[in-house]
């Protein structure tokens, strides 16, 4: 296929999109995340600064590229998506991320762990964030991207979509009985809720 470029639009995605959705519903979101020292990181920081209702507190990680997903769309149909990303953990930068998370926690009504499997929410970061939120009396919602749902032990609400639930349970199907079986399997091996 040949695409004739007509326009290019940059918009925050991933967890930043969750923050934008909260703002669109009239809420206020404090987004804690990681960006690289690259142009994509600077663009994301600028776009979030311009977003009403979203405050971003990002850890800048030298040498780590900011995740970028480029979608090529023709006639309202995605033709291809190209991802530029790394999925390794933040390493020593995780400490700075958790410090920012802890500072913002007092102002939060609820914590949303929006996991996109890019290494930012490592097992250690998830465990520490849940522990801090629980100690502060804040409810925690986790949107998982992992088949290992026990990583989210202690959350108040876990929201896997059908595909994620199927991967985690090794079951499939959209029929009520299959969805109920997936739910039962998740609960049997469930992270402790609350």
């Amino acid at each position: 296929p040949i695409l004739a470029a007509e326009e290019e639009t940059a918009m925050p995605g991933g967890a930043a999109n969750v923050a934008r959705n909260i703002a669109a519903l009239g809420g206020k979101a404090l987004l804690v995340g990681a960006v690289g020292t690259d142009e994509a990181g600077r663009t994301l920081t600028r776009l979030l600064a311009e977003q009403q209702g979203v405050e971003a507190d990002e850890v800048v990680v030298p040498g780590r590229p900011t995740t970028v997903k480029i979608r090529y769309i023709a006639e309202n149909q995605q033709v291809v998506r190209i991802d530029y990303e790394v999925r390794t953990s933040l390493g020593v930068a995780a400490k700075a991320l958790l410090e920012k998370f802890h500072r913002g926690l007092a102002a939060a009504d609820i914590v949303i762990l929006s996991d996109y499997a890019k290494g930012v929410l490592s097992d250690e970061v998830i465990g520490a964030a849940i522990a801090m939120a629980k100690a502060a009396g804040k409810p925690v919602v986790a949107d998982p991207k992992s088949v290992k749902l026990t990583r989210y032990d202690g959350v108040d609400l876990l929201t896997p979509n059908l595909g994620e639930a199927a991967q985690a349970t090794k079951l499939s199907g959209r029929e009520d009985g299959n969805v109920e079986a997936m739910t039962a399997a998740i609960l049997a091996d469930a992270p402790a809720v609350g």
Side-chain angles (χ1 to χ4, degrees):
I2 298 172
L3 301 177
E6 293 179 2
E7 70 177 290
E8 185 174 306
T9 305
M11 54 192 334
N17 190 48
V18 174
R20 291 174 61 229
N21 289 338
I22 290 167
L25 292 169
K28 291 184 181 177
L30 170 61
L31 176 65
V32 178
V35 296
T37 57
D38 50 15
E39 184 59 34
R42 289 186 290 277
T43 298
L44 178 58
T45 298
R46 178 183 53 77
L47 290 171
L48 290 171
E50 295 169 356
Q51 179 68 52
Q52 295 267 335
V54 176
E55 179 185 340
D57 195 3
E58 302 146 327
V59 174
V60 178
V61 186
R64 182 185 183 93
T66 304
T67 297
V68 173
K69 296 177 181 296
I70 300 174
R71 290 175 170 83
Y72 292 92
I73 299 173
E75 308 265 337
N76 296 319
Q77 175 72 36
Q78 180 173 297
V79 177
V80 68
R81 186 181 87 191
I82 301 172
D83 296 351
Y84 296 92
E85 62 188 15
V86 295
R87 293 174 176 240
T88 57
S89 70
L90 293 179
V92 295
K95 181 179 178 187
L97 182 85
L98 286 168
E99 287 169 357
K100 288 176 180 286
F101 174 82
H102 189 261
R103 278 197 306 269
L105 198 52
D109 294 320
I110 188 169
V111 171
I112 300 174
L113 299 175
S114 190
D115 192 354
Y116 281 83
K118 305 302 179 212
V120 176
L121 290 182
S122 65
D123 288 348
E124 294 76 23
V125 169
I126 289 171
I130 292 170
M132 283 186 248
K134 289 300 171 181
K138 309 294 179 170
V140 181
V141 175
D143 188 19
K145 200 58 156 183
S146 173
V147 296
K148 187 177 127 190
L149 298 181
T150 54
R151 302 175 74 213
Y152 310 99
D153 187 32
V155 301
D156 295 284
L157 181 63
L158 191 62
T159 62
N161 65 28
L162 183 62
E164 293 159 348
Q167 283 184 324
T169 62
K170 297 181 179 37
L171 299 170
S172 64
R174 295 181 177 273
E175 297 80 26
D176 288 347
N178 290 5
V179 173
E180 289 171 9
M182 282 185 237
T183 304
I186 289 170
L187 290 173
D189 190 32
V193 177

